[in-house]
Amino acid sequence: MTRTIVDHGLAARQRFNWIGFPALLAGLHLLTRISIEALAYLTCALFMAEPAPYWIL
């Protein structure tokens, strides 16, 4: 799905019901040129990360 967005732009949204996460990955890929798979792993790890305790901030 992300590769379709990278190749065809947001016109691909007509083919899929939920496009938010793949669109985020496609945008990050276009900005950084990091592989889509690596970006998916990094983004999921970031979303699963526990926020820092208040005393660290």
Side-chain angles (χ1 to χ4, degrees):
M1 189 178 334
T2 302
R3 177 56 61 191
T4 303
I5 296 169
V6 169
D7 293 340
H8 302 290
L10 287 179
R13 72 177 179 267
Q14 296 171 351
R15 295 185 57 199
F16 306 108
N17 291 332
W18 192 84
I19 197 165
F21 188 67
L24 173 66
L25 293 177
L28 289 172
H29 171 70
L30 291 173
L31 288 173
T32 64
R33 296 296 181 196
I34 297 173
S35 74
I36 294 171
E37 184 177 358
L39 283 170
Y41 281 118
L42 292 169
T43 306
C44 286
L46 179 67
F47 285 157
M48 291 188 317
E50 186 174 330
Y54 69 92
W55 49 269
I56 291 180
L57 302 174

